[in-house]
Amino acid sequence: MSSGASGGGGGGGAASGGGNSNHQRGAAQRPNGQTQNKICQFKLVLLGESAVGKSSLVLRFVKGQFHEYQESTIGAAFLTQTICLDDTTVKFEIWDTAGQERYHSLAPMYYRGAQAAIVVYDITNQDTFGRAKTWVKELQRQASPTIVIALAGNKQDLANKRMVEYEEAQAYADENGLLFMETSAKTAMNVSEIFLAIARKLPKNDQSGGGGGGAGGSSQGRRLAEGDSGSRGPAGACCK
Amino acid sequence: MDEEYDAIVLGTGLKECILSGMLSVSGKKVLHVDRNKYYGGESASICPLEELFSKFGAPPPDESYGRGRDWNVDLIPKFLMANGSLVKLLIHTGVTRYLEFKSVEGSYVYKGGKISKVPVDQKEALASDLMGMFEKRRFRNFLIYVQDFTADDPKTWKDFDPNTQNMQALYDKFGLDKNTQDFTGHALALHRDDSYLNRPAIETVNRIKLYSDSLARYGKSPYLYPMYGLGELPQGFARLSAIYGGTYMLDKPIDEIVLGEGGKVVGVRSGTEVAKCKQVYCDPTYVPDRVKKTGQVIRCICLMDHPIQNTKDALSTQIIIPQKQVGRNSDIYVSLVSYTHQVAAKGWFVAMVSTTVETDNPEAEIKPGIDLLGPIRQKFVSVSDYYEPTDDGLQSQMFISQSYDATTHFETTCLDVLDIFKRGTGEEFDFSKIKHELGDEEQ
C-alpha cells in the first residue's frame, strides 16, 4: 500500500463510492499536494445461516441496492468498500461465504487474517439466532483473537413477525463483547451504521493487525497480478 | 444431495479443486464432495502440529515447538514457478486475490558433496564456483543462445534445428562438460532424469526460458510459495467454484460410484442418498479399481530450528541433487520453508526431502539430502504409491487425475488438469469465461 492521503470518499463517516466499479484508490493527493489521511485495509467476513441476508447486506452497503429475490450467492463474493473516519480511510475487503456455509464446508482460508466479522441472523427465525451463536463460537476458535465481531439481526423491516427479541440478542452481544444492531438490507436501516461501528472499533495503528493467529505478525506476502513485478499484499492492517 | 448435476467432483486435492473451479466457471452444475472433513486431500497443509504428529503415530510435540496452530505443514512439497502455468491459472481465474505469496530466497544445486547457488545469468555464471574459467565462458555463450532463442524465428537457432536435433547435440555444440550439463538439465530445466538428452532440444530450451522468465519476475529465485502453505491453493480454487455456483460437501463418505448402460457413470451414492450426474472427476483414491500403480515417491518432512548451512541463512530455499552426483537415476529434491511463511512457529523451519523411489530401501536413497540439513528435531517419512488412471475416461465419463509426482513445481500438475478438462469437456479451457467485474481489483 502506498502511504499518503485520501481526498476521496464521502467524508464524515459516509460510505463512499459505487462499490464494484469503485476504483478510487483512496490515496489521491489533495490539490495542494498535502497528504492527510492514512489508509487502513481490513478483511471482513460474513457469517450466518443461508438466507438470512448476508449478501443483501453487502449489496446494500457496497452498491446501495436491494433485490427482493436475491439468488443464493453466485458470482459476487469479493467486494471492497471504503469508509472515511475522521483522519483515516478504512477500506473493507468483504468476503461473502459463496454458499460454502450450507453444508458446513467453509475453508480455513475464509477466516484467515480476518480482522472483522459480521454474524447475521434473521429476526423472524429463532433457529438462525442459534446458528449465529455457533458461528460466533467458531470465530472465537478459528479466527484471530483480536477480531472485531458484529452481530446483525437482519430483516428488521419484518419486525411484526419477530421471533428473536431485541433485548435477548443485545444481552448475548454484551456477554460476548460483540457489537450489535438490528438491520434491514431492504430499507437500508443500520447498514452503513454497522460497518461504521466496526470501522471505529478496529485498531488503526497496529502493523501486524489480526493476522489470523500467525506467528509473530511477520511481514506480509505479495499478491500476484498480470505483468506485475510484485505489489505488496494488501491484506492485513497496513496502516502506514 | 439428491439432485442432478453435470459433474460430481470427488476429493478436494489441488487438481480436483482447479477442475471444479474450471467446470463451474464454464457453466456446469457441480457438486464437490470430500470424504475428509478438511479441504486438500493429499495436497492439504496439516494444522495444528499435534495433528501432524498423531498422523504419523508420534507422541505429541513438546512446548519447544510453540503453538500448534501456528503450523501448517505440507504433505507434498512443491513451489510455484513465478512465470509458470499455475500462476497463470491463478491470475486468470482471479483466485490470486485470496492468496499471498513470498519469493523463495535461494535455489541451489549439489556438486561433489557441497551446494552452490544455481547460476542463471551471465554475471552469476562468471562468478559461480561450479565451473572452471573456460567452462564458464562456454556456459555463458550457451545462456546467451537460450536467451536470444525464439521458437518462431529460425535465425535465432544459429544453424541448429531444435525440433529435430536433441539436447545432447546442443550441449555438444557449445562444448559443455558433463558437470555443466548436469546442473543445466536438472537445476535449470528441472528434468527429473537424463532421458531428456535424447529428446528434441526445444523442450529443454523452453524449460530454461521458463526458469529465467520466472526469475526475472520477482527476483532472487524463480519460485514462489503461498503464505500459510500449499493447502491454501485448493481452498482458493474451491472458493472460485463455489462463487460460480458449485456446491460443497465435506465429511461425506462415498460408498459407490453408480454405473449405467455401457459402463457410463450415472451417479454417486453416499449412504442412502444418490446424486445423479453425467460425469465424475476424482483422484485415484476414490477409484482404486480404475488406476494402476506406476511407481513410488518418498517424502521426508523434517522439523528444524535452524536454516540449512551454506544457504546464507535463507528462510526458504530449494536444493536439487542431480541424480548422477549420487549415482541415481532420478534427482533428490530438498525444499525449505519456515515461520516467515506462517507454516511454522517463530524460529522454526520445515524441510522436505523427496525423490522417486528406485530401491527397496527408500530411506537410504534420500540420505544425501538429509545429510545437508544438519540437526533435525523431528522426522516424518512417508512412501506413497504413484497412480495413473487405466483409461482416458471417455467411455465411462469418469476422469481420474494422476497422483502428485516428485517434481518440485506445479507444471506437471497443471498439464494433467488441462488435459483432464479437455478430455471431459471436449474443449480447451476458455479463460475469457471468467467475469472480471467480479471483484474490485485494485493492484
Side-chain angles (χ1 to χ4, degrees), chain B residues 90-347:
Chain B
L90 284 165
I91 290 173
H92 283 295
T93 55
V95 169
T96 177
R97 73 185 66 164
Y98 309 135
L99 303 164
E100 289 178 45
F101 292 87
K102 278 197 168 171
S103 284
V104 172
E105 290 178 24
S107 172
Y108 291 82
V109 62
Y110 175 100
K111 185 196 161 198
K114 66 186 194 69
I115 59 172
S116 305
K117 193 166 185 308
V118 177
V120 282
D121 56 26
Q122 303 167 32
K123 213 175 96 209
E124 284 192 0
L126 292 177
S128 175
D129 57 358
L130 282 165
M131 297 163 283
M133 180 72 81
F134 295 107
E135 185 66 7
K136 281 177 183 175
R137 296 216 181 116
R138 289 189 285 269
F139 180 63
R140 178 173 166 268
N141 291 337
F142 171 79
L143 279 183
I144 293 172
Y145 174 84
V146 171
Q147 242 157 37
D148 294 343
F149 181 94
T150 312
D152 44 16
D153 182 4
K155 265 186 286 179
T156 65
W157 302 357
K158 307 251 172 79
D159 302 322
F160 182 89
D161 187 347
N163 298 304
T164 57
Q165 291 181 271
N166 67 24
M167 193 58 203
Q168 187 61 59
L170 188 60
Y171 283 146
D172 293 344
K173 180 179 159 76
F174 286 90
L176 299 183
D177 70 24
K178 287 287 175 203
N179 266 319
T180 309
Q181 293 178 21
D182 220 24
F183 76 72
T184 303
H186 294 265
L188 288 180
L190 302 171
H191 287 295
R192 274 176 288 174
D193 54 44
D194 268 353
S195 60
Y196 77 96
L197 288 169
N198 300 317
R199 294 198 295 268
I202 183 86
E203 177 198 6
T204 301
V205 170
N206 281 334
R207 279 166 166 253
I208 298 170
K209 281 174 112 47
L210 171 61
Y211 190 100
S212 55
D213 291 348
S214 296
L215 186 82
R217 204 143 178 196
Y218 300 105
K220 281 191 200 166
S221 89
Y223 304 111
L224 295 169
Y225 185 81
M227 305 288 281
Y228 303 103
L230 297 176
E232 299 294 283
L233 295 167
Q235 292 178 44
F237 283 100
R239 184 166 166 79
L240 173 74
S241 181
I243 287 169
Y244 280 86
T247 302
Y248 274 82
M249 288 185 188
L250 299 183
D251 200 10
K252 191 94 180 161
I254 297 302
D255 297 310
E256 185 189 356
I257 296 175
V258 188
L259 300 178
E261 231 170 276
K264 192 178 166 301
V265 69
V266 293
V268 167
R269 183 173 66 81
S270 174
T272 55
E273 297 174 286
V274 176
K276 289 186 194 141
C277 66
K278 302 186 184 90
Q279 297 187 313
V280 162
Y281 295 79
C282 66
D283 73 47
T285 62
Y286 286 86
V287 280
D289 53 336
R290 288 174 181 270
V291 293
K292 57 175 187 281
K293 178 179 156 185
T294 56
Q296 282 186 317
V297 182
I298 178 167
R299 301 181 174 104
C300 179
I301 300 167
C302 306
L303 309 184
M304 319 195 298
D305 50 13
H306 58 84
I308 299 174
Q309 273 186 359
N310 306 318
T311 61
K312 299 192 175 125
D313 289 348
L315 299 176
S316 56
T317 194
Q318 173 172 279
I319 305 167
I320 291 179
I321 306 178
Q323 31 129 15
K324 273 214 197 98
Q325 293 290 331
V326 285
R328 294 173 49 77
N329 298 317
S330 40
D331 296 350
I332 300 170
Y333 301 112
V334 178
S335 67
L336 178 87
V337 288
S338 64
Y339 60 92
T340 185
H341 310 95
Q342 315 280 21
V343 297
K346 187 84 186 158

Side-chain angles (χ1 to χ4, degrees), chain A residues 22 24-25 74-75 77 80 91 96 100 105 109 112 141 213 215 220-225 228 235, chain B residues 39 67 69-70 96-97 100-101 103 217-218 228 232 235 239 243 250 342 437-440 442-443:
Chain A
N22 171 15
Q24 69 171 23
R25 300 195 73 86
I74 288 184
T80 60
K91 183 174 169 188
D96 203 340
Q100 283 179 305
S105 301
M109 162 186 274
R112 183 104 63 214
R141 194 174 65 84
Q220 296 290 324
R222 58 159 59 103
R223 289 268 170 90
L224 306 178
D228 74 352
Chain B
Y39 280 93
R67 272 201 308 175
R69 271 190 52 190
D70 289 344
T96 177
R97 73 185 66 164
E100 289 178 45
F101 292 87
S103 284
R217 204 143 178 196
Y218 300 105
Y228 303 103
E232 299 294 283
Q235 292 178 44
R239 184 166 166 79
I243 287 169
L250 299 183
Q342 315 280 21
E437 71 274 20
L438 271 186
D440 181 5
E442 288 184 59
Q443 298 298 343

Side-chain angles (χ1 to χ4, degrees), chain A residues 198-213:
Chain A
I198 293 167
R200 289 200 188 285
K201 200 172 167 187
L202 281 163
K204 292 171 206 69
N205 300 306
D206 178 10
Q207 275 283 344
S208 61

